[in-house]
Amino acid sequence: MIEFLARAPHQMPRNDGSVGMEGDLPFWARPKGVLIILAVWCLLHAAIGAFLESAINVDDAVESYLVQSLELSYVPRNPPFFDWLLYGLQQVFGTGRLSFAILRYALLFACAGLVYRVACRVIFDPRLLAAAVYSLSALWVVGYHSHRILTHSNVMIVGIAGAMLTLIAIVRQPSAKLYVGLGAWIAVGLLGKFGFAAFLGVLVVSCLIEPSYRRALFDRRILLTVLVAAGPLAVYGLALHVLKQDVVAATAQTIGATHFGWDDVVRSYVVALAGYALPFAALAGLIFLPGNRGEGARVEEDGQRDAARRVLRNIIVIGLVVTLVSVVAVGTTNLRDRYFHVFLLLLPVYVFAELERVGGWRARVPAYLGILLAIAVGVLAVRVAIPLWPDPRLCGRCIAAEPLHRLAPTVMQALGAAPTLVADDRTSAGRLRAAIPEARVVIVNEPQYRPPSRPSTGCARITGIANGLPFRLLPPPGRNTIEMSVKWSSPLMNPHRWSDWQFTPLPPDDPLCQ
């Protein structure tokens, strides 16, 4: 995969504008160097998630609960492609943290590699190519939140980068194979997250504005794209119909009207936008704009690169305007920073393409990369610190450091090798399943998905998992409730944190256990 993503011309522009060989470049700017650095970044974070943290996070927990079986659709709020991938990995690597780490960082590595290939078709200088890709870590949703909360979004951003790369390739040298590939990327994006539909709509409008991309859309081979995308989407649509899952209602419930005034709506829009684009936008502005005299500006024209740059600009501008108009019209403040993945994922590529045209960047790239490195190392340090010192001032609930695996001996001793556990919500259920792989986990009240029945060696209800605060139950007649107080594994923290859990055995014929 690294060979494919690193494929690039051997001749590279020198600092003086002449053309040199790849060997003249620093390691961090060479194609293979970029991919190796990205791989190291992913491997370090994957190791923290798989081997240092003690439990999975909230978004992972929801998916952990859902993938107890393979379904065409799980819940109407999200399409199922992430769950299919996770289900397959868990058949090999188990239900614990390792499967989540492998999937998360395989997707992030694929996304970064595809963004690099996109940048190669928009930006000339390899140093700016590398800086654009490394800048993904300065988009806070990618550089920080992606380690904690994102699941389906990680599939969507791979689809966005892949679709953009394939479309650029079509404009350069159209072929039936590329149109088929574009259809496959569209299917991946839409089956990854519904937000991809917004990207697709804005992409079409942006292409219609640019003549070379408009011709690509009106090529009759675009029918291959439609047919390839329609196949899996039709199967998924049929599953939604059969299962009576209402995607529109679920989406409206997530981002529906909150009846706030327009000032509150605009404020939430600005906060979400800043939450996505920072610290990248501020850092690039502070490093490259003050006192910029435009030395070394690119003056030669390249029709294909410039057309791709303009399409990226159109996606960003149109997307931001449409989002603002939509949230004001609906009157919602339920706008999250991660929603801007749809329009701003390729923001660093566009910014550095424009910077190459403006000039004045060569002497400033080292300082910029130094700050990026400091940010990346800081995020790594915080992730390492949380399991070692899970102070609420550092990480709040710090659920990634909670020692849920210590439940396993008690559960297995009391209930046998194949227990059924009853939890209060999806988060609790999914975290229990990751900590106790042999268990089937169900929820007290779950109208949308319930894992299939299987032979069980015992059943119990466990409370206190979701928020670290147990919901006290009255023991059923003739049954005992076990109170468990467990100290966290935090060697650098004194006094230690504790979790209080409640374990209530239930008879096998209890409706909660079915």
Side-chain angles (χ1 to χ4, degrees):
M1 184 175 183
I2 287 181
E3 288 289 340
F4 168 75
L5 293 174
R7 196 180 303 155
H10 291 292
Q11 289 189 324
M12 304 293 180
R14 297 183 190 271
N15 285 342
D16 60 4
S18 62
V19 175
M21 298 303 292
E22 181 180 329
D24 297 334
L25 293 170
F27 172 78
W28 58 264
R30 299 176 191 173
K32 287 187 179 179
V34 172
L35 272 299
I36 289 172
I37 290 170
L38 293 176
V40 169
W41 180 83
C42 288
L43 288 172
L44 288 174
H45 280 288
I48 293 171
F51 305 116
L52 188 58
E53 295 177 344
S54 300
I56 60 175
N57 279 299
V58 173
D59 283 24
D60 289 343
V62 173
E63 309 311 318
S64 174
Y65 165 70
L66 293 177
V67 297
Q68 295 183 76
S69 60
L70 183 61
E71 309 289 342
L72 283 176
S73 180
Y74 292 88
V75 293
R77 178 177 175 178
N78 284 311
F81 195 74
F82 179 89
D83 301 295
W84 295 343
L85 295 174
L86 181 60
Y87 178 87
L89 282 173
Q90 291 196 344
Q91 306 313 301
V92 179
F93 298 102
T95 66
R97 302 183 302 278
L98 181 60
S99 60
F100 292 94
I102 291 173
L103 181 52
R104 169 169 284 112
Y105 294 103
L107 291 171
L108 287 175
F109 178 77
C111 175
L114 291 167
V115 169
Y116 178 67
R117 294 294 299 274
V118 171
C120 287
R121 286 151 177 78
V122 184
I123 301 170
F124 280 92
D125 195 285
R127 295 166 182 81
L128 286 182
L129 290 173
V133 177
Y134 299 148
S135 295
L136 290 174
S137 64
L139 296 175
W140 209 231
V141 173
V142 178
Y144 184 71
H145 290 316
S146 62
H147 310 299
R148 302 170 54 250
I149 60 174
L150 300 186
T151 51
H152 298 269
S153 295
N154 289 337
V155 176
M156 181 184 70
I157 60 178
V158 172
I160 289 172
M164 193 69 217
L165 175 63
T166 306
L167 182 59
I168 294 174
I170 286 173
V171 173
R172 285 175 171 264
Q173 191 172 357
S175 70
K177 182 179 179 181
L178 287 173
Y179 278 99
V180 168
L182 180 59
W185 282 121
I186 291 172
V188 168
L190 288 173
L191 289 173
K193 197 172 181 68
F194 294 125
F196 186 87
F199 165 77
L200 189 60
V202 171
L203 176 64
V204 170
V205 174
S206 301
C207 290
L208 292 175
I209 298 172
E210 186 64 36
S212 59
Y213 283 76
R214 183 167 62 245
R215 287 193 295 271
L217 290 187
F218 288 139
D219 190 300
R220 59 185 175 184
R221 284 171 290 189
I222 197 70
L223 292 176
L224 294 173
T225 300
V226 175
L227 290 174
V228 170
L233 293 173
V235 173
Y236 174 54
L238 180 62
L240 290 175
H241 175 73
V242 171
L243 297 172
K244 296 181 172 59
Q245 294 183 352
D246 191 338
V247 170
V248 175
T251 303
Q253 184 178 7
T254 302
I255 58 173
T258 50
H259 306 296
F260 283 90
W262 70 268
D263 52 338
D264 292 315
V265 173
V266 173
R267 187 181 301 113
S268 71
Y269 171 88
V270 172
V271 169
L273 177 58
Y276 188 92
L278 295 177
F280 165 70
L283 179 59
L286 290 173
I287 294 292
F288 294 109
L289 292 183
N292 190 322
R293 296 180 176 84
E295 61 274 15
R298 180 173 68 85
V299 294
E300 67 273 18
E301 294 293 326
D302 184 311
Q304 292 180 332
R305 290 180 190 268
D306 289 338
R309 174 181 54 80
R310 289 192 292 269
V311 170
L312 291 181
R313 177 199 62 198
N314 294 342
I315 291 172
I316 293 168
V317 172
I318 296 173
L320 292 179
V321 171
V322 167
T323 302
L324 178 59
V325 171
S326 299
V327 296
V328 170
V330 174
T332 180
T333 57
N334 292 331
L335 190 64
R336 304 291 181 264
D337 50 11
R338 59 185 177 271
Y339 296 168
F340 283 104
H341 262 328
V342 176
F343 307 122
L344 298 184
L345 175 67
L346 297 171
L347 176 64
V349 177
Y350 170 70
V351 168
F352 281 101
E354 290 288 2
L355 184 61
E356 188 173 43
R357 295 175 62 246
V358 172
W361 56 269
R362 297 186 187 280
R364 308 183 188 204
V365 165
Y368 177 78
L369 292 178
I371 298 175
L372 281 187
L373 178 61
I375 292 173
V377 171
V379 172
L380 277 168
V382 169
R383 291 200 67 201
V384 170
I386 287 173
L388 299 179
W389 190 65
D391 190 288
R393 293 168 295 181
L394 174 66
C395 48
R397 289 163 54 193
C398 305
I399 61 175
E402 190 172 11
L404 285 176
H405 59 280
R406 296 191 180 181
L407 271 170
T410 300
V411 169
M412 306 304 286
Q413 182 178 4
L415 302 179
T420 294
L421 305 180
V422 182
D424 292 326
D425 51 65
R426 291 179 188 171
T427 300
S428 303
R431 299 181 74 223
L432 280 172
R433 180 171 178 262
I436 309 172
E438 300 82 2
R440 169 182 175 257
V441 186
V442 297
I443 296 177
V444 172
N445 181 23
E446 173 56 271
Q448 294 182 333
Y449 169 82
R450 193 170 184 86
S453 298
R454 71 173 195 191
S456 176
T457 57
C459 181
R461 183 172 181 181
I462 300 180
T463 59
I465 305 301
N467 298 306
L469 297 173
F471 174 70
R472 300 293 180 182
L473 295 173
L474 292 175
R479 311 294 295 183
N480 293 322
T481 292
I482 303 170
E483 305 287 345
M484 301 178 63
S485 187
V486 178
K487 183 171 67 174
W488 286 31
S489 305
S490 47
L492 300 183
M493 186 174 176
N494 190 17
H496 290 273
R497 290 182 72 167
W498 293 76
S499 284
D500 297 312
W501 302 318
Q502 192 177 44
F503 180 93
T504 305
L506 300 172
D509 58 351
D510 190 297
L512 291 177
C513 303
Q514 304 306 309

